[in-house]
Amino acid sequence: MSSTNTSDKNLADVEEGKDSIAFFYIFFGVALFLPYSLYVVVSNNPAALGGFAYHPPLGAIALSAMAYGISALQPARKPDGVEKALDLHGFFIGLVAVPLVLISGTIMYQRKEDRGQPHYVSWHGIVGITTVLLAFIQAIFGVLLSWGYLPRKLYRYHRQSGYAVFTILVLAFMLGGLYSNFIVRHAWTATRFLAYGLGPLSVWGGVVARIRSRKLW
């Protein structure tokens, strides 16, 4: 075996080990905020919350799905693996994460309309609507790429903008979990910071650790 092949194999082994550790952090973060987001709504009379009862769980599921959709594609190397990874990527992001982001944002918009409250006055609201708009644009970008309407050389820009959208979604989720009135009133401070501080950061760190810089630039 040539020194080049040995070097490539060693690099692949190192990356695989790093990927496994990073995926643990993704799973760990999701395990912190996803069950708790369901619990905090279910334990506080969800029927009385109206449409808002769906907002925290939908945000948690959307973030989880986006993290898995991204991480499924990051380590793909062989052609057949890339095809399967692209299918998972399209399903979890295009059919789960982005629609849930749009639905969650629409719920909050309508809630404020019904109550006559101003829109986008908090950082959570501002970053949230930014996430909705960018996620929609990113999804359209991805569809055009996958259907062959855009040149493949644009894939790297789709990756770059995708990581940016993911980061903004993490920020929106953290702001809502750490500072929104509902969560502040109904969650213990320590639990809140574990679920909505450490949890999303763990997921974000796991996804970022799996980035291949050679594919990004």
Side-chain angles (χ1 to χ4, degrees), residues 97-174:
V98 173
L100 292 186
V101 166
L102 296 176
I103 293 169
S104 182
T106 301
I107 287 172
M108 290 308 298
Y109 181 88
Q110 190 58 51
R111 177 180 172 85
K112 288 184 176 290
E113 281 288 297
D114 293 342
R115 296 186 167 200
Q117 297 174 330
H119 297 281
Y120 319 125
V121 294
S122 68
W123 279 112
H124 175 56
I126 294 169
V127 178
I129 187 59
T130 302
T131 303
V132 170
L133 295 174
L134 292 180
F136 179 74
I137 294 170
Q138 180 72 3
I140 297 299
F141 190 10
V143 168
L144 293 175
L145 279 170
S146 64
W147 288 357
Y149 291 112
L150 293 174
R152 292 183 62 84
K153 64 182 180 181
L154 295 180
Y155 265 110
R156 69 176 58 190
Y157 301 111
H158 180 64
R159 291 190 192 97
Q160 293 167 5
S161 56
Y163 286 121
V165 172
F166 175 69
T167 299
I168 295 170
L169 175 59
V170 169
L171 179 59
F173 187 74
M174 290 181 67

Side-chain angles (χ1 to χ4, degrees), residues 2 17 20 22-23 27 36 38 46 48 53 57 72 78 80 85 114 136 141 147 173-174 176 180 187 200 203 205:
S2 69
S20 299
F23 194 76
F27 178 81
Y36 191 73
L38 296 171
K78 298 178 181 177
D80 57 339
D114 293 342
F136 179 74
F141 190 10
W147 288 357
F173 187 74
M174 290 181 67
S180 68
V203 171

Side-chain angles (χ1 to χ4, degrees), residues 14-109:
V14 170
E15 287 181 338
E16 186 174 348
K18 186 182 73 171
D19 286 339
S20 299
I21 296 171
F23 194 76
F24 168 79
Y25 281 103
I26 294 171
F27 178 81
F28 174 72
V30 169
L32 285 177
F33 66 70
L34 181 55
Y36 191 73
S37 296
L38 296 171
Y39 167 78
V40 77
V41 170
V42 170
S43 63
N44 285 285
N45 192 11
L49 297 174
F52 178 79
Y54 297 98
H55 184 65
L58 288 181
I61 296 170
L63 179 56
S64 304
M66 189 171 288
Y68 186 73
I70 293 172
S71 63
L73 188 59
Q74 286 173 318
R77 296 186 183 91
K78 298 178 181 177
D80 57 339
V82 171
E83 275 191 37
K84 293 176 183 177
L86 282 170
D87 288 341
L88 288 172
H89 181 77
F91 175 78
F92 280 101
I93 294 182
L95 297 181
V96 180
V98 173
L100 292 186
V101 166
L102 296 176
I103 293 169
S104 182
T106 301
I107 287 172
M108 290 308 298
Y109 181 88

